[in-house]
Amino acid sequence: RDRGVLYEDQYLQVGLMSSFPPGSHTGTLTLFLGNKVADAPLTNVSLELAPSPSVVVAASAAAPPTLHPKEQVKVPMSLTAVAPIKVAPAVILKYTLQNVAVDQPLTLPVANHRFVVPEAGVTKELFFEQWKSISDPSSRAQEMVSRTNGPINVADVPEVLRQASLGVEPGYLDPSPYNEAGAGYFLSGPPGVEPTRTLVMCRVEGNPQDMSQFRVTVVSAMPLLSTTTKDLVVARLLALPAYGMAATP
């Protein structure tokens, strides 16, 4: 469950709370619209859902057309992943204050790993059988990573994979002490239908002579899923503190 402020200006704050139940291709997201003005209403309030090819977003209740001074309302929404996400879904926030109209696009914080089920129990045989069988180059995303902020402890890599919703059993899939591997299933499909499960696999291979250098490879039958998962793992690897140094609070 995530919560925070999605948007804020001098008149209106938009809070957010989201939840993605494990083992599902659906989620819920609630926007909290709060009028910060003490002596004037916000009128012509609306949230327009922008079409998305990847996520079906449906609001179970519309925003009220008027937000009275210091009033807060909530707008619940349901999310369903129908395909890997390249561009996060968005809504268009509109309101008017004393004849001044605001038209603000808001990107919803929804990414592919929200719909991935970790699979720590995948066998070596299945992992490498699938790894080798997916031969389409576009389904294999790879990047050489060179950290400028120092080497890392390979013991931190399993947590990086878990942050991408990949299941990992340290040292099992790849016995090299410098490498780690993980897997999960991306769930997708139309609302109300049993989702399709697509295996996504990742290997992080460290350079034994310099643990600030890695090769990250992700393989799945969905090229976009491979690319976005690889990008997430790379970003988390680059963000790790150097070995022996504490993370910045």
Side-chain angles (χ1 to χ4, degrees), residues 22 55 80 107 148 161 206-207 214:
V55 181
T80 306
T107 299
T148 59
L161 296 178
N207 181 345
F214 294 85

Side-chain angles (χ1 to χ4, degrees), residues 192-214:
V193 175
E194 189 70 20
T196 299
R197 293 163 56 91
T198 302
L199 183 63
V200 54
M201 301 163 285
C202 177
R203 294 181 73 189
V204 178
E205 301 168 274
N207 181 345
Q209 281 76 46
D210 183 356
M211 288 300 289
S212 66
Q213 297 179 345
F214 294 85

Side-chain angles (χ1 to χ4, degrees), residues 14-204:
V14 181
L16 173 143
M17 183 170 67
S18 62
S19 178
F20 298 88
S24 174
H25 66 316
T26 64
T28 59
L29 185 149
T30 302
L31 297 181
F32 298 87
L33 310 182
N35 182 358
K36 298 167 59 176
V37 183
D39 57 0
L42 304 181
T43 60
N44 302 317
V45 178
S46 69
L47 287 170
E48 298 179 5
L49 303 177
S52 168
S54 305
V55 181
V56 175
V57 183
S60 56
T66 300
L67 273 179
H68 299 288
K70 293 297 184 178
E71 181 184 17
Q72 184 185 72
V73 299
K74 61 182 181 179
V75 181
M77 301 178 180
S78 64
L79 310 168
T80 306
V82 297
I85 303 165
K86 182 177 183 180
V87 178
V91 298
I92 310 300
L93 167 68
K94 296 183 179 182
Y95 72 87
T96 301
L97 175 65
Q98 299 174 345
N99 297 321
V100 177
V102 174
D103 189 326
Q104 177 68 44
L106 305 177
T107 299
L108 302 178
V110 182
N112 288 320
H113 70 284
R114 297 296 193 182
F115 307 104
V116 173
V117 179
E119 182 52 85
V122 64
T123 65
K124 290 181 182 180
E125 292 76 16
L126 175 62
F127 184 94
F128 287 106
E129 175 188 330
Q130 293 295 312
W131 186 274
K132 295 173 182 177
S133 70
I134 301 176
S135 56
D136 182 357
S138 66
S139 295
R140 186 177 298 263
Q142 188 174 91
E143 184 172 338
M144 302 301 295
V145 180
S146 184
R147 289 167 42 91
T148 59
N149 51 339
I152 65 171
N153 187 346
V154 72
D156 293 332
V157 175
E159 182 57 29
V160 167
L161 296 178
R162 294 186 185 105
Q163 290 172 357
S165 296
L166 300 175
V168 55
E169 185 177 333
Y172 171 65
L173 289 175
D174 194 325
S176 168
Y178 305 102
N179 301 347
E180 198 54 85
Y185 286 95
F186 176 70
L187 306 183
S188 61
V193 175
E194 189 70 20
T196 299
R197 293 163 56 91
T198 302
L199 183 63
V200 54
M201 301 163 285
C202 177
R203 294 181 73 189
V204 178

Side-chain angles (χ1 to χ4, degrees), residues 220-232:
S220 80
M222 295 177 167
L224 182 56
L225 177 62
S226 299
T227 299
T228 56
T229 303
K230 182 267 297 178
D231 289 345
L232 177 57

